[in-house]
Amino acid sequence: MTDKQVDKIEAGIHTDFRNNMTYGDYLKLETLLSSQQRLSDHHDEMLFIVIHQVSELWMKLMLHEIRAAIISISNGELSPAFKMLARVSKIQSQIIHAWDVLSTLTPSEYLEFRDELGQSSGFQSYQYRMIEFALGYKTPHVLTIYEKDTELLNILQEAYAAPSLYDVAIRALAREGLHINEEILTRDVTNPYKSDDSVAKAWCAVYSNVEKYWDLYELAEKLIDIEDWLQQWRFRHMKTVERIIGHKVGTGGSSGVTYLKKVLDHRFFPELWDVRTTL
């Protein structure tokens, strides 16, 4: 194809944006791309900042989808929630792959700018905490990290007090006539969730009669996908940290790798894992 033929085909491309919104305007690229402010002169600090900012953007989208799924499930509309939760899993795969890029940072390179971080740490990511809250993992001590910002603390407290994705999934079991202990349905959702025999039996009934409970079965598998990917994210986080700083204390004061290994043992949806043994 000649240049003239190409020009003829693409004659409708807009080039005059003096009075119209551009791609960069729409995405606020000037603000977005000016937010990578290095505190050192080291080349690799840019990598460190970009990876964490990108991860925060993905987490923002995760929260957007999980919140919508919680509302949808609460309203008895499971089908729309499946699309949202499937999207969450795809987002999680992107965040996991981000660790592969960060792991190109060597210990020597990181030490060149680590002191510039002060006490700031990914441990303080409030969006990550909100994801944990939305999935049902709630520990009150983490809220103290955010007392510096009253407005942010209020947002976190609201998320902390809201029913989790698993809470509304359990209520969906009850709506379908499966027996759930009343104390589970009326429990204080700010307390950490503990396995319950009635919930375990309900999920077992779902997996034992897939045709009858197809929507609940699909919901269960979407939840398993999310927890599976989250644990893979946690594992890749732990191994990346170990690769870069070994077993040093984290910049935020945590035990670093030791802490990250410990959280790998936590389960968000315990009965959904146990049913695989009891079936």
Side-chain angles (χ1 to χ4, degrees), residues 205-238:
V206 169
Y207 276 85
S208 298
N209 197 340
V210 172
E211 290 186 6
K212 181 178 180 180
Y213 298 114
W214 176 260
D215 281 354
L216 292 172
Y217 171 71
E218 190 166 356
L219 175 60
E221 286 299 293
K222 290 290 186 290
L223 296 181
I224 282 290
D225 285 343
I226 287 173
E227 180 162 352
D228 189 347
W229 281 107
L230 185 62
Q231 293 294 55
Q232 291 186 53
W233 183 91
R234 284 173 159 179
F235 179 79
R236 288 296 298 127
H237 183 192
M238 181 269 293

Side-chain angles (χ1 to χ4, degrees), residues 11-170:
I13 291 179
H14 296 288
T15 58
D16 184 355
F17 289 94
R18 284 171 291 186
N19 299 308
N20 295 299
M21 179 177 66
T22 67
Y23 170 83
D25 294 334
Y26 175 69
L27 293 179
K28 303 292 189 292
L29 287 182
E30 185 175 345
T31 300
L32 183 66
L33 298 178
S34 63
S35 297
Q36 295 73 46
Q37 302 294 324
R38 288 182 293 169
L39 298 180
S40 73
D41 293 328
H42 198 273
H43 173 84
D44 292 311
E45 189 183 355
M46 182 62 74
L47 163 68
F48 192 83
I49 293 171
V50 168
I51 289 295
H52 287 86
Q53 288 184 342
V54 168
S55 295
E56 289 291 336
L57 284 172
W58 280 128
M59 284 191 277
K60 182 174 183 175
L61 184 55
M62 282 179 64
L63 284 166
H64 178 71
E65 299 295 340
I66 293 171
R67 287 169 182 150
I70 287 173
I71 293 171
S72 183
I73 295 167
S74 296
N75 292 336
E77 300 170 352
L78 269 60
S79 292
F82 298 153
K83 175 65 178 294
M84 299 163 190
L85 297 178
R87 183 174 291 162
V88 170
S89 294
K90 293 296 184 181
I91 295 166
Q92 288 175 296
S93 71
Q94 296 299 310
I95 297 180
I96 291 168
H97 288 308
W99 294 121
D100 296 335
V101 183
L102 187 60
S103 66
T104 63
L105 182 68
T106 69
S108 299
E109 291 163 347
Y110 182 50
L111 285 173
E112 291 292 326
F113 61 88
R114 188 182 192 228
D115 288 345
E116 302 294 340
L117 303 180
Q119 295 179 328
S120 65
S121 165
F123 182 82
Q124 298 147 15
S125 168
Y126 68 84
Q127 288 200 121
Y128 178 74
R129 295 302 173 192
M130 291 175 76
I131 289 171
E132 287 189 328
F133 295 167
L135 298 183
Y137 183 47
K138 299 179 180 181
T139 49
H141 69 273
V142 301
L143 292 173
T144 61
I145 298 171
Y146 311 100
E147 290 177 347
K148 172 184 176 181
D149 186 335
T150 304
E151 185 177 350
L152 175 58
L153 180 61
N154 289 337
I155 293 171
L156 284 159
Q157 288 173 331
E158 183 178 348
Y160 189 85
S164 72
L165 182 60
Y166 200 43
D167 289 323
V168 297
I170 291 171

Side-chain angles (χ1 to χ4, degrees), residues 178-189:
L178 292 158
H179 172 70
I180 302 294
N181 289 333
E182 186 64 23
E183 55 266 32
I184 294 298
L185 296 174
T186 60
R187 76 184 192 88
D188 182 351
V189 297

